[in-house]
């Protein structure tokens, strides 16, 4: 079961067949989501095959309305597919009961959203520990882990601040800490830099690079080229279909000099 | 302007020099006004000598340059195909890339969106490397500043590619 994308597509493109030795952390097969019926039927996701290997960062780019957010929601169990399969760490999850799925979302998947989704009445550390408490950890363990994670995202001194007292970039870093607290198999990020200015984007970029270096499996959907460019592998989505795929690593290092006029 | 641009304009069908000029003017709008009429004939003569195109003279015409009909040779077709597939960065010539998309679409040589994807892959690979280098160079302010320039230029080019993608998507869906 080699991964990658549908083989029926244009052979001139750089299709990559994932040669993941072990099992992919995240896998989709012929994944579909349709809305409406008959003539007005709309395919938001129209037959996506996808493998994300352990420790890999994968980005999906595409114009707005191409179905990339819907795809992420299907992969994270936030939405039910109309057809196809989703596998997480070797288990099929698209056919789970609502209850089992909710449990899985709390423990095995970390979410990062464009608009942070923090609880405004809770402090940074309370926002982060909440997910651990909901997953059944003891208050002491939850607090300790939350403080460790805030330290890791560079916000140890902001732990007692309410979200309203934090900048956009800081809020997103709190959200990333929250996503990590239950040591999820995969972190799914939907436009994580969509609401951030350039400096804050750079902070989130650095954080994602750190997570990647630490072996965290990450999937990002975005139209921000900067965050997409942190990925090992990039896919392009159009009209609900993955139409292009490329590996970003190991390409041009050493040729950067040409970009600043130092060589031809 | 690259000779290949003129060559690619012939990929759809053999044409007179003045037709090529009209196509360039249409594709470039006000920017095309800076081109002088002689330039295209100089280029056509050069391409003919290089064996990339052949000249047919129309029956009524005699030897006047504006009566000649130019057509691609097999070598010329080969060269156009190579040029369409070529990725020209770090010195992106915007007009050249734009005309590449125009030529690819009008002659059915390639899907313009595929050409855009190919270019985007290259730019994103460079952005990937430039950002890694920028993060690694945080402690050296001067180097970080230079890399920031690289990142900003790449972002600008990527945004323009998005605009190209939107334009050619609309054209393809026929609206």
């Amino acid at each position: 079961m080699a991964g990658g994308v549908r083989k029926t597509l244009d052979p001139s493109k750089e299709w990559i067949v994932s040669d993941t030795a072990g099992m992919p952390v995240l896998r989709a097969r012929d994944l579909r989501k349709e809305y409406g019926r008959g003539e007005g039927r709309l395919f938001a996701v129209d037959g996506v095959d996808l493998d994300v290997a352990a420790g890999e960062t994968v980005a999906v780019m595409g114009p707005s309305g191409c179905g990339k957010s819907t795809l992420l929601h299907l992969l994270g169990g936030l939405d039910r597919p109309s057809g196809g399969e989703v596998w997480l760490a070797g288990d099929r999850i698209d056919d789970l009961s609502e209850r089992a799925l909710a449990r899985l979302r709390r423990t095995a998947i970390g979410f990062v959203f464009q608009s942070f989704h923090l609880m405004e009445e809770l402090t940074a550390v309370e926002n982060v520990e909440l997910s651990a408490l909901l997953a059944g950890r003891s208050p002491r363990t939850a607090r300790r882990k939350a403080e460790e994670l805030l330290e890791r995202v560079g916000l140890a001194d902001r732990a007692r601040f309410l979200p309203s007292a934090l900048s956009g970039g800081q809020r997103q870093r709190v959200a990333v800490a929250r996503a990590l607290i239950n040591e999820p198999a995969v972190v799914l990020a939907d436009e994580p830099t969509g609401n951030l200015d350039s400096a804050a984007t750079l902070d989130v970029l650095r954080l994602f690079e750190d997570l990647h270096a630490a072996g965290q499996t990450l999937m990002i959907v975005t139209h921000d080229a900067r965050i997409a460019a942190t990925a090992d592998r990039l896919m392009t989505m159009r009209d609900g279909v993955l139409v292009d795929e490329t590996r970003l690593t190991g390409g041009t290092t050493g040729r950067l000099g040409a970009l600043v006029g130092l060589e031809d | 302007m690259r000779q290949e641009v003129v060559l690619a304009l012939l990929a759809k069908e053999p044409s007179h020099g003045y037709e090529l000029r009209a196509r360039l003017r249409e594709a470039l709008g006000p920017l095309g006004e800076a081109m002088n009429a002689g330039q295209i004939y100089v280029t056509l003569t050069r391409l003919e000598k290089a064996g990339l195109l052949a000249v047919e003279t129309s029956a009524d015409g005699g030897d006047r340059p504006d009566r000649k009909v130019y057509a691609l040779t097999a070598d010329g077709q080969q060269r156009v195909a190579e040029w369409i597939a070529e990725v020209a960065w770090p010195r992106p010539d915007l007009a050249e890339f734009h005309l590449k998309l125009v030529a690819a679409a009008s002659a059915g040589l390639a899907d313009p969106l595929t050409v855009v994807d190919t270019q985007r892959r290259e730019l994103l690979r460079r952005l990937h490397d430039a950002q890694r280098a920028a993060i690694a160079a945080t402690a050296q302010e001067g180097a970080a500043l230079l890399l920031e320039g690289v990142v900003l230029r790449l972002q600008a080019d990527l945004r323009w590619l998005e605009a190209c993608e939107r334009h050619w998507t609309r054209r393809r869906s026929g609206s």
Side-chain angles (χ1 to χ4, degrees):
Chain A
M1 290 285 283
V5 195
R6 286 206 284 192
K7 306 295 178 286
T8 49
L9 293 165
D10 188 340
S12 70
K13 297 185 175 176
E14 292 185 10
W15 301 111
I16 294 160
V17 176
S18 308
D19 52 352
T20 49
M23 200 180 311
V25 169
L26 196 60
R27 157 172 289 188
R29 285 294 174 272
D30 198 28
L31 198 59
R32 293 167 187 281
K33 180 69 182 178
E34 49 193 72
Y35 295 104
R37 279 158 186 263
E39 296 271 307
R41 197 158 58 151
L42 183 84
F43 296 91
V45 173
D46 196 6
V48 165
D49 291 337
L50 172 81
D51 283 326
V52 181
E56 197 180 21
T57 299
V58 171
V60 176
M61 282 189 94
S64 47
C66 73
K68 57 189 192 299
S69 283
T70 306
L71 173 64
L72 198 80
H73 287 199
L74 295 176
L75 293 173
L78 290 169
D79 202 354
R80 296 274 185 180
S82 315
E85 303 173 1
V86 180
W87 298 70
L88 180 70
D91 297 316
R92 197 165 161 189
I93 65 163
D94 56 275
D95 54 359
L96 290 178
S97 69
E98 264 323 308
R99 214 174 140 169
L101 201 55
R103 224 175 79 93
L104 190 82
R105 283 197 304 261
R106 279 201 303 269
T107 55
I109 304 167
F111 291 99
V112 178
F113 299 99
Q114 178 171 0
S115 47
F116 324 129
H117 291 200
L118 298 177
M119 306 270 240
E120 291 299 324
E121 60 279 17
L122 300 182
T123 63
V125 71
E126 287 165 348
N127 263 288
V128 177
E129 73 184 357
L130 183 61
S131 295
L133 294 171
L134 290 172
R137 308 267 187 145
S138 75
R140 257 183 72 186
T141 312
R143 177 58 61 109
R144 182 176 51 76
K145 286 192 66 102
E147 283 176 342
E148 280 170 18
L149 281 165
L150 284 175
E151 165 106 51
R152 182 166 168 201
V153 302
L155 292 173
D157 58 341
R158 299 283 192 279
R160 269 60 181 178
F161 283 46
L162 289 173
S164 55
L166 300 173
S167 70
Q170 290 169 338
R171 275 186 253 185
Q172 193 60 299
R173 283 188 278 154
V174 172
V176 171
R178 178 186 55 188
L180 294 171
I181 194 155
N182 292 320
E183 292 160 18
V186 62
V187 171
L188 302 177
D190 189 356
E191 295 287 3
T193 54
N195 275 340
L196 303 180
D197 64 23
S198 166
T201 292
L202 192 61
D203 285 342
V204 171
L205 228 66
R206 284 207 183 95
L207 183 53
F208 276 44
E209 294 274 16
D210 285 349
L211 296 184
H212 180 253
Q216 177 68 53
T217 309
L218 268 167
M219 176 149 176
I220 306 164
V221 304
T222 186
H223 61 252
D224 179 354
R226 296 199 65 179
I227 193 81
T230 62
D232 301 308
R233 201 148 57 95
L234 175 79
M235 296 180 213
T236 305
M237 193 163 182
R238 266 186 216 122
D239 299 328
V241 179
L242 296 177
V243 294
D244 190 39
E245 182 181 27
T246 191
R247 196 165 282 289
L248 297 180
T249 42
T252 63
T253 318
R255 280 148 68 192
L256 280 178
L259 302 189
V260 293
L262 292 178
E263 54 191 91
D264 285 333
Chain B
M1 183 179 335
R2 291 272 303 267
Q3 299 183 2
E4 284 82 352
V5 171
V6 176
L7 213 52
L9 289 170
L10 287 168
K12 190 182 177 190
E13 60 199 2
S15 309
H16 289 286
Y18 62 81
E19 290 171 316
L20 297 182
R21 264 171 55 211
R23 270 179 227 162
L24 272 174
R25 270 203 304 270
E26 193 196 326
L28 295 173
L31 296 176
E33 283 161 22
M35 288 185 325
N36 73 57
Q39 203 180 340
I40 198 162
Y41 289 104
V42 172
T43 305
L44 285 167
T45 308
R46 226 178 264 155
L47 289 166
E48 187 189 348
K49 278 185 188 143
L52 296 170
L53 54 80
V55 178
E56 308 152 13
T57 307
S58 7
D60 58 344
D63 205 27
R64 288 172 51 194
D66 62 352
R67 291 292 172 209
K68 290 180 179 174
V69 174
Y70 300 87
L72 289 186
T73 61
D75 281 354
Q77 280 168 357
Q78 173 72 26
R79 183 65 209 111
V80 170
E82 285 164 8
W83 175 71
I84 296 274
E86 196 174 87
V87 183
W89 229 83
R91 279 199 219 94
D93 175 337
L94 296 191
E96 182 187 334
F97 186 72
H98 173 63
L99 291 169
K100 190 183 279 196
L101 298 180
V102 171
S106 73
L109 293 166
D111 183 345
L113 294 180
T114 305
V115 178
V116 169
D117 283 339
T118 307
Q119 184 81 3
R120 174 161 38 215
R121 283 201 294 257
E122 275 311 301
L123 297 192
L124 281 164
R125 281 188 192 125
R126 284 164 171 79
L127 184 59
H128 177 93
D129 292 340
Q131 283 188 159
R132 288 245 158 122
I135 287 170
T138 318
Q140 304 153 267
E141 274 186 33
L145 179 64
L146 181 56
L147 283 161
E148 189 185 349
V150 173
V151 167
L152 288 169
R153 281 181 63 171
L154 285 164
Q155 276 182 275
D157 283 348
L158 283 160
R159 284 175 62 185
W160 184 59
L161 283 183
E162 270 177 45
C164 292
E165 178 181 6
R166 280 195 298 276
H167 172 82
W168 289 103
T169 305
R170 279 200 303 275
R171 292 286 286 258
R172 188 161 65 170
S173 58
S175 54

